[in-house]
Amino acid sequence: MALILAADEQAILTAASTLAEGELVAIPTETVYGLAADATNGDAVARIFEAKGRPHFNPLICHVSDIAMAERYALIDPLSRRLIDAFWPGPLTLVLPLKPEAGIHPLVAAGLDSIALRIPRGIAGKIIAALDRPLAAPSANTSGKISGTSAEAVADDLGQKIALILDAGPSEVGLESTIVKVQGDAVLLLRPGGLAAEDIEAVIGNKLERLDQRAAIQAPGMMTSHYAPSASVRLNVHEVREGECLLAFGPLRAMDAELAAASLNLSETGNLREAAANLFDFMKRLDSFGGAVIAVEPIPFNGLGEAINDRLVRAAAPRSLSTDEMEQIK
Ligand code: TXA
Ligand code: MG
């Protein structure tokens, strides 16, 4: 079973030396807990896929401690630089051209000529600085499961497979980072996440370009289940059915809410930031209640609501899909 250490200065050094030896360490970031490996060590990076049970090598986000470290590994265009200055450290990941000989193991970028980079808030940056190497880190959860937002959640899911978990309490944001890529004058939104699109748009003075989500969902293999609890998930519920577990949002209840077997409110006041921070934890808690269905009240699409709805749609997707199809969406 993994050792869980409170994330103090001593634990940061222990984490850095464990990582230097090619071991995996689950580390807190402001978004979700990451399952981290030294990004320059191919063997260590391969262990991430092994521990998560991911059959395919899809590209991983690389975490750096400062802009100088980012520049060692990637080419930063002026528009990306503006986003970096505005939002790092923070829940924004940029996909940038990779400097191929700089030392990031090709498995991290799955052989692509680009690399996804961010500086996380919190103690992750100190671990990276102590190691003086970037960390590849997907969310700390088994492939397809709910992302870990606390040391306990990570220990429940991956505790048998990793040596060390650093505990810094519940993740502040609770959703994975927003991923963007600059293309000419345009900024493409690759994954909605913990930084609201509106906040990015305010900095670039332009709308983000979104992939056509309906087209993506209609494409074979894209309507896949991810972030999946064991219960099935029913979205935009206005009327609760007897025995369902209710994931509520805001001050107003769906009809027949009193018939729910269990109920948790993402945010009594309808605050999307609070809802994001609670999302994965509450899904996990309702799921462990053992009911057949988690019914979810409507969540607005503005601000962090876009990313919350994205994760909920994936949680509700049909489960009868092949592993190949599961992996396409990751
Ligand atoms: O909040 C987060 O981003 C968390 C915490 C731990 O930092 N990390 C995380 O990492 O979610 P990961 O490795 O699971 O994110 C992988 C996703 C891929 O599915 C893909 O969408 C995108 O990052 N990605 C990574 N490299 C890319 C690349 N070169 N081009 C396009 N997308 C890429
Ligand atoms: Mg994940």
Side-chain angles (χ1 to χ4, degrees):
M1 192 63 191
L3 178 65
I4 303 181
L5 292 177
D8 57 19
E9 294 300 324
Q10 186 56 46
I12 287 166
L13 296 178
T14 305
S17 62
T18 307
L19 288 158
E21 286 160 16
E23 300 285 333
L24 302 182
V25 179
I27 60 167
T29 85
E30 80 282 39
T31 57
V32 298
Y33 276 66
L35 182 59
D38 173 355
T40 66
N41 179 338
D43 183 67
V45 174
R47 287 179 190 218
I48 292 178
F49 295 101
E50 204 173 51
K52 283 184 70 94
R54 260 194 209 173
H56 291 272
F57 296 146
N58 41 1
L60 301 173
I61 293 174
C62 234
H63 301 70
V64 292
S65 54
D66 52 40
I67 296 175
M69 192 186 277
E71 284 176 327
R72 267 194 244 162
Y73 300 105
L75 295 168
I76 301 175
D77 61 278
L79 186 46
S80 294
R81 179 66 199 224
R82 258 167 67 199
L83 292 172
I84 286 171
D85 289 341
F87 297 115
W88 282 6
L92 177 69
T93 296
L94 287 153
V95 173
L96 297 161
L98 174 69
K99 291 185 178 169
E101 304 303 329
I104 289 187
H105 193 275
L107 188 52
V108 174
L112 299 173
D113 53 11
S114 57
I115 186 77
L117 288 182
R118 79 181 189 100
I119 303 180
R121 276 204 296 266
I123 66 129
K126 290 191 182 179
I127 299 171
I128 298 162
L131 181 68
D132 194 30
R133 283 179 223 150
L135 289 178
S139 53
N141 55 274
T142 304
S143 188
K145 292 258 173 68
I146 294 167
S147 301
T149 54
S150 67
E152 297 75 35
V154 176
D156 276 358
D157 185 6
L158 294 171
Q160 304 294 337
K161 295 181 177 160
I162 58 179
L164 181 61
I165 301 170
L166 257 57
D167 184 356
S171 309
E172 166 200 340
V173 176
L175 287 174
E176 296 86 347
S177 61
T178 300
I179 306 179
V180 300
K181 179 182 186 173
V182 169
Q183 245 167 18
D185 296 337
V187 182
L188 210 64
L189 179 65
L190 299 181
R191 177 176 78 180
L195 179 66
E198 291 91 328
D199 293 342
I200 301 172
E201 288 168 346
V203 167
I204 61 177
N206 222 331
K207 288 276 173 203
L208 288 178
E209 301 219 353
R210 286 177 169 71
L211 306 173
D212 185 339
Q213 272 164 0
R214 259 177 322 172
I217 281 172
Q218 280 161 15
M222 289 306 279
M223 188 62 188
T224 51
S225 150
H226 190 48
Y227 303 93
S230 307
S232 65
V233 177
R234 199 161 74 83
L235 300 178
N236 295 318
V237 163
H238 293 281
E239 202 175 329
V240 178
R241 299 175 191 152
E242 181 142 20
E244 287 181 329
C245 290
L246 178 63
L247 189 62
F249 175 81
L252 304 173
R253 284 297 58 72
M255 265 169 62
D256 296 333
E258 67 284 357
L259 298 180
S263 166
L264 288 171
N265 195 328
L266 289 169
S267 170
E268 301 274 354
T269 59
N271 179 318
L272 288 166
R273 199 161 293 229
E274 183 184 10
N278 286 329
L279 179 67
F280 292 139
D281 181 42
F282 284 12
M283 296 254 284
K284 198 167 180 240
R285 279 162 63 182
L286 289 179
D287 202 30
S288 64
F289 202 79
V293 179
I294 297 174
V296 187
E297 291 183 358
I299 316 271
F301 276 83
N302 61 300
L304 295 187
E306 180 175 11
I308 295 172
N309 278 292
D310 172 83
R311 303 304 188 273
L312 285 169
V313 165
R314 289 165 201 256
R319 309 288 160 71
S320 56
L321 293 155
S322 69
T323 318
D324 262 12
E325 287 171 314
M326 292 272 290
E327 278 306 310
Q328 290 199 17
I329 211 159
K330 202 269 10 173

